[in-house]
Amino acid sequence: MKKIIAISFSLFLSHFASAQIGGKNIYDFLQFPTSARMEALGGGLQSIKYSKDADISLAISNPCFLDSSFHKQLSVTNAFYTDKTNIGNITFAYYHPKIKSTLAYTMQYASYGKFDGRDIAGNSTGTFRAADFNFQVGVGRSIRKFFYGVNLKFIVSHLETYTSLGFATDVAIGYHNPKSNWTFAAVVRNAGVELKTYVKEDGRQRLPIALDFSFSKRFKKIPVTLSVTAHDLQVWNLKFPEEEQPTNLFGTTKKKSKGSEVIDNIFRHFAFGAEVQAGKPVRLRIGYNHMRRQELGVGKKKGFSGISAGFGVNIKQFAFDYAYAQYHRTGSDHQLTFRIKLDEFGKKAK
């Protein structure tokens, strides 16, 4: 275990200095929320940890809290994006007594649908498909209130006749105080290397490495859990140079004050979420992601861009989560997660 973590940190350090975001990486599907619960809470990494509500779909992105409470839990997630794009995952957790660890086995996929092929002259060459896959194994351990975990990823990307292979790792550490019900997690995501390029003559491309911090607090007297994620901390400026500058009625560019630009950039690093327990089986959720709103909103009429909402229902051994997130005024995401605790069949629900 210690060797795995050491190797993972070495991969992280080798890429950290040159890390970029948005359009400069391959395998960007690894950055999509891994569950409806995660999407509804703003799309950021979640540090939620309750022994009575072990959610394996959150552990896909944050493996440090994996323990025996996840044993034999199966989760299936699918996000219905625009233009018949489907992104999701299937994961299963199993506690291995011999190594005293819980392993989470995951397959992530992104299916982009059919495309019309054209040659250099514009003539039709038929249709083709494009898809990405990630085959992942995660493990978590703990020392009292402190937790640590690792994901190992083997990535396959197939675009028409071109195939790329890659390897990546997530390294996570966390802290949970059961008395005060607050939790912290830090995760280095997608540190790795492209093993095989799409075109043999091309150089290796960067992976979407990121450093995220997450805080959550569950209140005892009111049924509310608040979460805050600080994401993409490996870079300071999250604003693209190509982003449209606001103009006045005469067509000249309006210059923002330096202070407002700094504040805007700070908030681009944050995603906020709130979860309310409405009765024993139902949870209502809402989230806000400032970077999504600024990047994907149109001018001053941003609509609900960056805002997400959803709900969850837990009934005995089953759990169902739904999330809606508006990425753009003309495009949104409907995401579903279904979880089953296979080891509780035949037992009386707690």
Side-chain angles (χ1 to χ4, degrees):
M1 184 70 179
K2 291 181 179 179
K3 290 182 179 179
I4 293 174
I5 292 178
I7 293 171
S8 301
F9 268 117
S10 298
L11 285 169
F12 160 63
L13 292 172
S14 67
H15 291 264
F16 188 83
S18 59
Q20 301 291 329
I21 64 166
K24 298 181 181 294
N25 313 299
I26 54 173
Y27 314 143
D28 273 328
F29 77 104
L30 296 174
Q31 301 188 77
F32 287 110
T34 58
S35 74
R37 191 177 189 179
M38 184 176 175
E39 178 72 291
L41 293 172
L45 174 79
Q46 296 300 318
S47 55
I48 296 173
K49 175 176 172 55
Y50 312 135
S51 59
K52 294 183 180 180
D53 185 21
D55 188 344
I56 188 62
S57 66
L58 297 182
I60 298 171
S61 299
N62 181 12
C64 71
F65 295 125
L66 280 169
D67 57 27
S68 58
S69 64
F70 293 90
H71 181 58
K72 288 188 178 180
Q73 186 177 149
L74 174 68
S75 172
V76 179
T77 294
N78 192 78
F80 301 89
Y81 287 91
T82 58
D83 202 21
K84 298 182 180 180
T85 297
N86 290 279
I87 299 176
N89 58 74
I90 302 171
T91 188
F92 177 73
Y94 192 90
Y95 176 74
H96 297 269
K98 290 185 178 180
I99 60 175
K100 297 180 180 179
S101 298
T102 299
L103 299 184
Y105 306 93
T106 303
M107 183 194 73
Q108 284 181 275
Y109 61 86
S111 174
Y112 306 110
K114 275 186 178 182
F115 296 85
D116 294 324
R118 303 284 176 178
D119 62 18
I120 195 171
N123 300 312
S124 176
T125 59
T127 61
F128 66 91
R129 291 185 176 272
D132 293 326
F133 298 93
N134 168 39
F135 302 93
Q136 173 179 304
V137 177
V139 61
R141 290 281 189 91
S142 64
I143 304 173
R144 296 182 181 179
K145 297 179 182 179
F146 297 90
F147 301 81
Y148 59 98
V150 170
N151 285 329
L152 300 179
K153 306 178 179 184
F154 179 69
I155 307 156
V156 180
S157 178
H158 185 71
L159 310 175
E160 208 248 351
T161 58
Y162 303 95
T163 301
S164 171
L165 304 177
F167 171 80
T169 182
D170 303 330
V171 178
I173 58 174
Y175 173 84
H176 175 66
N177 189 322
K179 291 184 178 180
S180 60
N181 281 327
W182 76 269
T183 312
F184 164 79
V187 182
V188 177
R189 298 185 290 114
N190 306 318
V193 64
E194 185 181 20
L195 302 173
K196 177 184 178 296
T197 60
Y198 292 104
V199 180
K200 189 175 181 180
E201 294 77 16
D202 290 350
R204 294 175 178 174
Q205 300 182 65
R206 297 186 181 114
L207 273 68
I209 187 172
L211 173 62
D212 294 353
F213 290 167
S214 179
F215 302 86
S216 68
K217 167 67 177 178
R218 185 182 188 185
F219 297 91
K220 291 183 178 180
K221 295 185 178 181
I222 55 174
V224 176
T225 301
L226 299 180
S227 63
V228 179
T229 300
H231 58 86
D232 295 300
L233 298 177
Q234 78 283 358
V235 292
W236 161 247
N237 188 6
L238 293 181
K239 187 175 182 180
F240 287 97
E242 297 84 1
E243 284 189 45
E244 183 180 356
Q245 297 294 325
T247 57
N248 57 27
L249 294 174
F250 301 99
T252 58
T253 301
K254 296 179 182 178
K255 290 187 178 181
K256 291 184 178 180
S257 67
K258 190 173 182 179
S260 64
E261 288 187 353
V262 170
I263 293 173
D264 174 60
N265 192 58
I266 290 174
F267 274 95
R268 285 181 186 234
H269 284 278
F270 285 91
F272 305 89
E275 182 175 81
V276 180
Q277 189 162 346
K280 189 175 180 180
V282 179
R283 291 176 177 84
L284 305 178
R285 303 171 183 130
I286 189 168
Y288 175 73
N289 189 309
H290 188 66
M291 186 169 74
R292 284 186 188 172
R293 186 165 181 81
Q294 293 300 91
E295 288 187 350
L296 302 177
V298 180
K300 294 183 179 180
K301 298 180 180 180
K302 297 182 184 296
F304 288 97
S305 297
I307 298 174
S308 56
F311 65 88
V313 180
N314 290 17
I315 302 176
K316 294 184 178 181
Q317 297 88 1
F318 303 93
F320 172 79
D321 296 309
Y322 167 78
Y324 170 82
Q326 188 174 84
Y327 283 75
H328 189 271
R329 293 181 66 189
T330 58
S332 56
D333 167 34
H334 297 272
Q335 194 159 343
L336 304 175
T337 297
F338 183 67
R339 291 182 283 123
I340 311 173
K341 290 212 71 175
L342 300 176
D343 65 326
E344 291 187 2
F345 277 102
K347 298 180 181 179
K348 187 177 179 180
K350 297 181 180 179

